[in-house]
Amino acid sequence: MKTKTLLGHTAVSNCKPYSLVIRFSKTDIAKHVIIFFEITLYTLFCLSGYMSNAQVLYGTSIQGGSLGGGTITKFQSSNNTLIAKVNFENNGQNSQYTQFVQTPNGKLYCVTSDGGSKGYGIIFSFDPVSSVYAKLKDFNNTDGARPRGKLVLASDGKLYGTTFLGGTNDYGVIFSWDPSSSSYTKLIDFNGTNGRGPSSLIPASDGKLYGVTINGGSNNKGVVFSFDPASSTYTKLKDFAGPEGSGPVGGLIQASNGQLYGMTNSGGSSNNGAIFSFDPSLSSYTKLKDFDGTNGKNPSDRVIQASDGKLYGMTTGGGSSNNGVIFSFDLSTLAYSKLKDFDGSASGSSPNGSLIQASDGKLYGLTNSGGARFRGVMFSFNISSSTFTKLIDFNELNGSYPNGTLFQASDGKLYGLTPGSVGFGIVFSFSLSTSTLTVLHEFAENDNGLFAYGSLIKASDGKLYGMTGYGGSNGVGVIFSFDPVSSMYNKLKDLDLAGGSSPHGSLMQASDGKLYGMTYRGGSNDLGVIFSFDLSTSIYTKLKDFNSPDGAFPFGSLIQAADGKLYGMTSSGGTSGGVIFSFDPSSLTYTKLYNFTSTDGYQPNGTLIQATDGKLYGITHSGGNNFYG
């Protein structure tokens, strides 16, 4: 767990330091309890007077809670009760290299590689009839993390899949999910010797599941393996070595001739990857084709077999513009044909998923980038006429940077996911009859905010104020208030890229009554800003755009010193690794005071304090004699 350390000092006259022993659960606070310093002990923000002879503490967390996106939490010292007063939502994000699968109940099932209450991804379902989304499973690292690829439906009615990381050795796992009982079972821990970093499984005609890992094995260049669901037996079948291909990706397919086919991302004669076959009955491996750059290079996913019997696939690079290609491979003649060069802005570039053949006989796919908005495209390819058609340019609203593969459901529509948009990715459908894309669900869609990295402050009106690093209407955070008397949450401001985004620190109230804060990103240079928020008028004002010479990416909070000026630090920029600065709220003057160096310490991630001697004190994340801050 990466610990966020926020240096702050809040003097609350009626709060006495005492020890707290709290056992957190995911429904209370999961990760990263953001806290205030009180004397020498760590306590939550303390409010006295709401209860006689008792202390009421308020804090925030960036994850956990009933919705997974963090909480505003109340701790009552009289009975040691911890209550989540506000739950921010996090229902999954970043669907990387994945694809839907449909079960007999009509629902679509899929995984995300991030998000969920633990941040390691989720399993979810989506009902295309009712448009109901349901989060089914939060990965917790021990039982797997960062799932990739598609779930597969085996003959026993269970869904099987893999995670790229996590498990006992953090090398990934094989798991099953039973839709009828909603039960998850970890089946195999990868240990390096038997493979590392698995991708999709496929059910073969012999009843076994087959797959590949991108690393691990005897040469640490990946393996081919089988898994028997009936006996839970794992068997390593092939260790890859460079010249014959290395780093197999995307999984395998079983063609009509019974052979398994796949691709490697690297290795081969030019180290650009290869197409290969594997005979499961003989455990024999054959390299069929080397990618050489001109004909494509570095594929990221699997091939498919189309209705004409040929294999079709894509590469992420190579071709005439080095933006990737579409190709075919004839199993009868072993002839390779480059069919389409992706060219960037017009047709898209860098496809990371695989193709599908839809009911109209055409191939459909996605590119990760390129297109009119440089956020990727959806396209079709007619194998009869070799005609390429761009169907959709992804943008800020309908999704961005797709990495996965489309799926055609029983309603005839194509379904897919993107890891990026205004938020953390979307589920979408595409109608072949109307050529219409519809956004069905946005991950981590929380208009009230998501991931409160900083602490709460108590302002002069008695309310608590804070910020979230993500969420809100623009997906980049909000400013909010919370009334501890009425338990009312109020979103005050949706942050945006132009005005400042993704704050990682806390607000402070200056002597003029306004709230001041910083954002980690956004502003004219996307390096963060200083801003004010007027409680009387609810007016947000950007006061300073950080730039590299003056400092960049502030991680902590501002303080107001005895001279009336605001002081803070940036984690980057300046001459080396961050700066100390002052900001005069009267004259709106910014002054860089000190450039951090590796010798004196650099990359400060916290907040300054002013001690009784009048000096400011702080810590750095790195640097110093031991390079540890």
Side-chain angles (χ1 to χ4, degrees), residues 422-483:
V422 179
F424 293 91
I426 65 165
V427 178
F428 66 85
S429 67
F430 182 80
S431 171
L432 297 183
S433 58
T434 64
S435 295
T436 303
L437 184 142
T438 303
V439 175
L440 302 172
H441 177 79
E442 186 167 347
F443 291 111
E445 184 178 16
N446 189 337
D447 191 53
N448 282 332
L450 179 70
F451 300 161
Y453 288 102
S455 302
L456 296 167
I457 67 160
K458 181 184 178 183
S460 54
D461 61 4
K463 295 179 181 178
L464 308 181
Y465 291 85
M467 301 184 288
T468 69
Y470 297 96
S473 299
N474 302 311
V476 293
V478 307
I479 300 173
F480 66 85
S481 68
F482 179 79
D483 190 332

Side-chain angles (χ1 to χ4, degrees), residues 191-307:
N191 59 22
T193 302
N194 66 0
R196 176 181 179 180
S199 51
S200 295
L201 301 167
I202 63 150
S205 55
D206 60 5
K208 296 179 181 178
L209 305 177
Y210 288 84
V212 294
T213 69
I214 195 169
N215 296 310
S218 301
N219 305 307
N220 198 31
K221 296 183 183 296
V223 309
V224 178
F225 66 85
S226 68
F227 178 78
D228 190 337
S231 61
S232 294
T233 302
Y234 177 95
T235 305
K236 183 176 71 171
L237 302 171
K238 164 70 180 175
D239 287 290
F240 283 90
E244 61 187 9
S246 63
V249 290
L252 303 164
I253 64 121
Q254 188 171 33
S256 54
N257 60 9
Q259 303 289 302
L260 306 179
Y261 292 88
M263 296 190 287
T264 68
N265 179 260
S266 56
S269 61
S270 302
N271 200 32
N272 290 317
I275 303 172
F276 67 87
S277 67
F278 185 84
D279 189 329
S281 61
L282 303 175
S283 292
S284 61
Y285 174 93
T286 304
K287 183 177 71 171
L288 300 172
K289 178 66 178 180
D290 287 296
F291 292 106
D292 60 15
T294 302
N295 65 5
K297 66 178 182 179
N298 307 130
S300 291
D301 213 323
R302 60 190 180 275
V303 293
I304 67 163
Q305 187 174 30
S307 53

Side-chain angles (χ1 to χ4, degrees), residues 568-579:
M569 301 184 289
T570 68
S571 64
S572 184
T575 58
S576 179
V579 308

Side-chain angles (χ1 to χ4, degrees), residues 115-166:
S117 64
K118 306 297 183 182
Y120 295 114
I122 66 169
I123 302 172
F124 70 91
S125 67
F126 184 82
D127 190 328
V129 177
S130 63
S131 295
V132 173
Y133 167 96
K135 183 174 71 169
L136 304 173
K137 162 70 180 173
D138 289 288
F139 288 97
N140 64 15
N141 199 49
T142 302
D143 60 13
R146 317 295 186 199
R148 286 189 177 186
K150 62 179 290 187
L151 299 168
V152 297
L153 183 64
S155 57
D156 59 7
K158 295 180 181 179
L159 298 173
Y160 289 83
T162 63
T163 69
F164 192 72
L165 298 172

